[in-house]
Amino acid sequence: MIYQNLVVSNDRHICRIAINREPKLNALNRLTLAELHDAVANALITDAIRGIVLTGAGNKAFVAGADISEFATVNTEQGRALANEGQTSVFDLIHNANKPIIAAINGYALGGGLELALACHIRVAVSHAKLGLPEVSLGLIPGYGGTQRLTQLVGRGKALELILTADMISAREALELGIVNHVVEQTDLLAKTDEILLRIASRSRTAVSAAIKAVNASLGAVNQGFETEVNLFGECFGTPDFKEGVTAFLEKRKPKF
Ligand code: COA
């Protein structure tokens, strides 16, 4: 399958999916999300594939977030639908996958990019990677599960600090917080993710699938958090702060809140 915004390759039971919009720092526009759904779903039903690596093209960005240029005309209802559809078709698909999915974080993982990595089962980052959830600097909140998955991973205090300050942290800080499992040099990134996946591939695939399901069950999938996030994300689109935040980004200036 040929994609416009993804490069997909299969090797030694591993499917590698690279988000390929380098001039836009691999930002997730609608087409990229639709293609991601298709590529991940396809790898999950391909018998020979035992695991997936998600990464970004180039060495600057994994994914610098949702594509802000597509936000400009979105209203509250559309914002809610956007978050809902993305969460179900891509982020939950990855989170609940019956095969291991590793994020190979090769640079900036911001907003929807960090949320994409958080939905994966394991994260490996290069030492120059920067991670963060900068949505409040745009008058938004994370809308693809970031408020839930980051909190589950690092606890409420650290999650709130990262989300409310909108600050970026280094790969080393992310390692200390437990957001990433390993930090490696750029040249070792894919060797590290392949090594982990090939180890997992040597184990029982039915047991691996059951283990992912059981661990995910510990996160309380039935809570209302994701729904609350979607609703509040949608409401942000109706605010003057959102208009100012997105306009400022597009005009390459600091927002005035
Ligand atoms: N959505 C749409 N376009 C984006 C983008 C995003 N999330 N992130 C980067 N881009 C685009 C830029 O607009 C720019 O496009 P242009 O060359 O056509 O002007 C291009 O990618 C390169 O980005 P630029 O900002 O020039 O690179 P930089 O090295 O100066 O800064 C970042 C890198 C990551 C700090 C900066 O791009 C950034 O802050 N991006 C937005 C991050 C964000 O808020 N994400 C959450 C979205 S909800």
Side-chain angles (χ1 to χ4, degrees):
M1 179 82 191
I2 303 291
Y3 295 106
Q4 197 172 313
N5 294 337
L6 302 180
V7 177
V8 180
S9 57
N10 293 344
D11 179 35
R12 291 176 302 162
H13 304 296
I14 297 170
C15 174
R16 194 174 288 161
I17 303 174
I19 295 152
N20 188 30
R21 292 186 77 213
E22 226 180 314
K24 295 290 177 187
L25 305 187
N26 304 321
L28 297 173
N29 62 2
R30 284 171 194 273
L31 176 63
T32 309
L33 284 169
E35 290 187 346
L36 257 180
H37 167 82
D38 192 79
V40 171
N42 197 39
L44 293 179
I45 57 163
T46 302
D47 206 42
I49 295 300
R50 303 287 295 266
I52 301 172
V53 174
L54 277 189
T55 193
N59 57 16
K60 185 167 174 182
F62 171 68
V63 169
D67 191 321
I68 301 168
S69 67
E70 286 189 344
F71 282 176
T73 57
V74 172
N75 64 26
T76 298
E77 216 28 69
Q78 292 163 330
R80 206 173 280 139
L82 188 82
N84 224 347
E85 200 190 312
Q87 285 212 19
T88 315
S89 70
V90 176
F91 295 78
D92 289 353
L93 178 70
I94 291 170
H95 182 103
N96 296 318
N98 61 355
K99 298 177 185 179
I101 305 186
I102 301 189
I105 304 174
N106 55 311
Y108 286 115
L110 302 174
L114 179 54
E115 292 176 292
L116 187 65
L118 290 170
C120 292
H121 304 121
I122 295 169
R123 286 154 289 284
V124 180
V126 294
S127 51
H128 69 261
K130 295 252 187 270
L131 298 85
L133 292 174
E135 283 86 348
V136 298
S137 63
L138 292 162
L140 285 172
I141 64 166
Y144 288 137
T147 63
Q148 306 304 296
R149 292 194 182 97
L150 184 65
T151 307
Q152 286 158 347
L153 207 52
V154 304
R156 182 167 172 267
K158 283 291 175 192
L160 278 170
E161 185 178 348
L162 269 174
I163 293 167
L164 301 184
T165 60
D167 283 343
M168 289 187 216
I169 58 169
S170 68
R172 289 272 157 219
E173 290 170 295
L175 183 67
E176 276 165 28
L177 286 172
I179 296 175
V180 300
N181 300 61
H182 302 276
V183 176
V184 296
E185 290 313 311
Q186 177 86 38
T187 45
D188 299 331
L189 180 63
L190 296 177
K192 183 68 186 176
T193 54
D194 285 5
E195 177 199 314
I196 298 170
L197 279 183
L198 290 173
R199 265 180 90 69
I200 298 173
S202 73
R203 316 303 187 197
S204 151
R205 70 159 72 191
T206 46
V208 163
S209 162
I212 294 173
K213 215 179 202 174
V215 170
N216 282 351
S218 77
L219 303 177
V222 218
N223 76 27
Q224 303 296 306
F226 285 92
E227 199 182 321
T228 304
E229 183 190 87
V230 165
N231 286 329
L232 292 169
F233 177 78
E235 281 172 24
C236 289
F237 283 86
T239 65
D241 274 2
F242 160 72
K243 298 271 175 294
E244 167 60 8
V246 170
T247 309
F249 178 82
L250 297 175
E251 292 175 356
K252 297 186 184 294
R253 62 171 172 81
K254 282 205 180 319
K256 293 193 199 87
F257 292 126

